[in-house]
């Protein structure tokens, strides 16, 4: 392909030659020369050329009339027949390019609107203006397809039977076995600590009673189911119990030893009573170093009881 063919194919358009009446002489339609014009059927050549950069391709604008205003012909005829053949081929190319441009412009004007039925959003529903019935049908179809995909896809698709992955705030995967072991160890430590605190709150008497209760439960495995009145162990146990309202306690021949349950000596002198019935230690010097609350407590109880007895007596007198 020659340079003229390349320029004519990519940059030139054919323009019909208007007839112009001249007073001096009549010119025929077979005017010599090429018409150099932009391939711009919409007529935006002036604005387009102004916006082009300096280093862009140089285009020669203008119409055929301006080109034909030249009085002198600058073209030189070399080879005669060959030049006329090239001009005819260039004219044919320009004519075909012009026909294609006009056909393309006409096709763009007459082209129908693009159907967006194939365009879908992320949820699988078609985009564009639709009726409520169409949208509802598409949503139902999308749900049915998703349900079918989960039911037919198996465990890998539905996630059924898969182990849950837990992550911390930084995104790292948490090892559940290790976390469970740590939580179990922490719970055991807390339980042991709570048991130690509870054991520290107990007194010596409570510890002795607990140990004695364990011994009794261990011996109960060998005891009969029914225990009768002639059971010596049961009788001794009942005799050793202290009852504040037992009138025959002073007639018992067996006296208690002056030792407590823990094995320490008991205080035998007089002492102020207290709410819990705890006797003072055997080394107490007899001085009450309390704030007097126990004394006021028992005085209030005795006063309440006396008022109740007096009220009952007055009602009986009436």
């Amino acid at each position: 392909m020659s340079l003229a063919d390349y320029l004519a194919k990519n940059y030139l358009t054919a323009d019909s030659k208007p007839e112009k009446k001249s007073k001096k002489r009549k010119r025929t339609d077979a005017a010599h020369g090429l018409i150099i014009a932009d391939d711009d059927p919409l007529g935006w050549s002036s604005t387009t050329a102004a916006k082009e950069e300096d280093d862009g391709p140089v285009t020669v604008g203008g119409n055929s009339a301006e080109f034909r205003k030249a009085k002198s012909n600058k073209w030189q005829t070399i080879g005669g027949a060959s030049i006329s053949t090239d001009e005819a081929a260039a004219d044919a190319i320009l004519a075909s390019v012009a026909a294609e441009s006009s056909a393309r412009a006409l096709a763009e004007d007459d082209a129908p609107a693009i159907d967006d039925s194939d365009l879908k959003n992320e949820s699988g529903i078609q985009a564009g203006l639709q009726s409520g019935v169409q949208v509802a049908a598409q949503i139902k179809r999308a749900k049915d397809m998703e349900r079918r995909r989960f039911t037919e896809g198996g465990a890998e698709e539905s996630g059924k039977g898969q182990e849950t992955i837990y992550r911390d705030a930084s995104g790292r995967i948490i090892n559940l076995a290790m976390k469970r072991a740590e939580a179990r160890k922490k719970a055991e430590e807390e339980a042991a600590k709570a048991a130690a605190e509870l054991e520290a709150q107990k007194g010596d008497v409570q510890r002795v009673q607990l140990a004695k209760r364990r011994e009794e439960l261990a011996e109960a495995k060998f005891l009969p189911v029914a225990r009768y009145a002639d059971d010596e162990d049961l009788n001794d146990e009942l005799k050793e119990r202290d009852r504040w309202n037992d009138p025959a306690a002073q007639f018992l021949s067996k006296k208690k030893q002056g030792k407590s349950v823990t094995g320490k000596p008991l205080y035998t002198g007089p002492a102020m009573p207290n709410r819990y019935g705890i006797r003072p230690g055997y080394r107490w010097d007899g001085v009450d170093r309390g704030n007097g609350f126990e004394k006021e407590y028992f005085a209030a109880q005795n006063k309440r009881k006396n008022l109740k007895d007096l009220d009952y007596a007055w009602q009986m007198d009436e």
Side-chain angles (χ1 to χ4, degrees):
M1 180 183 293
S2 63
L3 178 61
D5 296 341
Y6 179 81
L7 293 175
K9 182 178 180 182
N10 295 279
Y11 300 99
L12 304 181
T13 57
D15 190 4
S16 60
K17 303 175 182 179
E19 296 181 358
K20 183 178 180 181
K21 297 180 180 181
S22 177
K23 296 180 180 181
K24 295 182 179 181
R25 60 179 180 178
K26 295 182 180 179
R27 296 178 180 179
T28 60
D29 294 338
H32 55 78
L34 295 176
I35 300 172
I36 303 175
D38 292 334
D39 188 9
D40 188 9
L42 300 179
W44 296 91
S45 61
S46 60
T47 58
T48 306
K51 296 180 180 178
E52 290 179 351
E53 298 179 355
D54 295 339
D55 55 350
V58 179
T59 58
V60 180
N63 50 26
S64 61
E66 293 178 357
F67 182 78
R68 287 194 295 271
K69 285 181 180 180
K71 295 181 180 180
S72 61
N73 189 1
K74 301 295 183 178
W75 296 92
Q76 296 181 2
T77 303
I78 301 174
S82 61
I83 297 300
S84 62
T85 305
D86 293 340
E87 292 179 356
D91 292 340
I93 293 172
L94 293 175
S96 62
V97 170
E100 291 178 359
S101 300
S102 60
R104 190 184 304 108
L106 182 61
E108 290 178 356
D109 295 338
D110 298 339
I114 298 175
D115 187 12
D116 295 334
S117 59
D118 294 337
L119 300 179
K120 297 182 179 181
N121 51 24
E122 295 180 357
S123 60
I125 301 175
Q126 294 181 358
L129 183 62
Q130 304 177 63
S131 62
V133 178
Q134 295 176 348
V135 173
Q138 293 178 15
I139 292 174
K140 183 179 180 182
R141 183 170 61 254
K143 289 183 178 179
D144 294 341
M145 292 177 62
E146 185 177 1
R147 188 182 299 107
R148 190 181 306 108
R149 182 169 58 87
F150 275 99
T151 53
E152 296 178 358
E156 296 181 358
E157 187 70 23
S158 62
K160 185 177 180 181
Q162 300 293 332
E163 185 178 359
T164 305
I165 298 176
Y166 297 92
R167 299 179 183 271
D168 56 5
S170 61
R172 293 177 298 181
I173 298 177
I174 300 174
N175 191 349
L176 294 181
M178 186 181 299
K179 287 294 181 181
R180 290 194 184 100
E182 292 178 357
R184 191 182 304 109
K185 183 178 180 181
K186 185 177 180 180
E188 292 176 357
E189 292 178 355
E190 291 180 355
K193 184 178 179 180
E197 292 179 356
L198 182 62
E199 186 68 20
Q201 295 174 1
K202 295 180 180 180
D204 295 338
V205 177
Q206 292 176 332
R207 294 191 183 94
V208 172
Q209 290 178 353
L210 182 60
K212 186 177 180 181
R213 180 62 179 170
R214 290 176 181 173
E215 293 178 0
E216 291 177 355
L217 292 176
E219 293 177 357
K221 297 186 295 184
F222 307 102
L223 295 176
V225 179
R227 303 183 70 179
Y228 300 99
D230 57 350
D231 193 340
E232 296 181 0
D233 295 337
L234 179 59
N235 291 332
D236 294 339
E237 181 182 354
L238 295 176
K239 288 178 181 181
E240 289 178 358
R241 291 182 183 178
D242 292 335
R243 298 175 180 84
W244 65 273
N245 58 351
D246 188 2
Q250 58 184 346
F251 303 111
L252 294 177
S253 59
K254 186 178 180 181
K255 300 293 182 180
K256 289 187 177 180
Q257 299 177 358
K259 291 185 179 181
S260 63
V261 180
T262 58
K264 295 180 181 180
L266 294 175
Y267 180 76
T268 57
M272 292 292 295
N274 54 64
R275 291 169 290 172
Y276 306 103
I278 300 176
R279 301 174 63 179
Y282 68 98
R283 294 179 179 178
W284 183 50
D285 57 359
V287 180
D288 188 4
R289 295 177 176 83
N291 55 6
F293 177 79
E294 299 292 338
K295 183 178 180 180
E296 294 179 0
Y297 174 78
F298 285 108
Q301 279 191 343
N302 295 334
K303 183 178 180 181
R304 190 182 304 111
K305 185 177 180 181
N306 292 335
L307 291 177
K308 185 177 180 181
D309 295 340
L310 289 174
D311 187 19
Y312 180 75
W314 291 342
Q315 291 178 3
M316 293 294 100
D317 290 344
E318 294 179 355

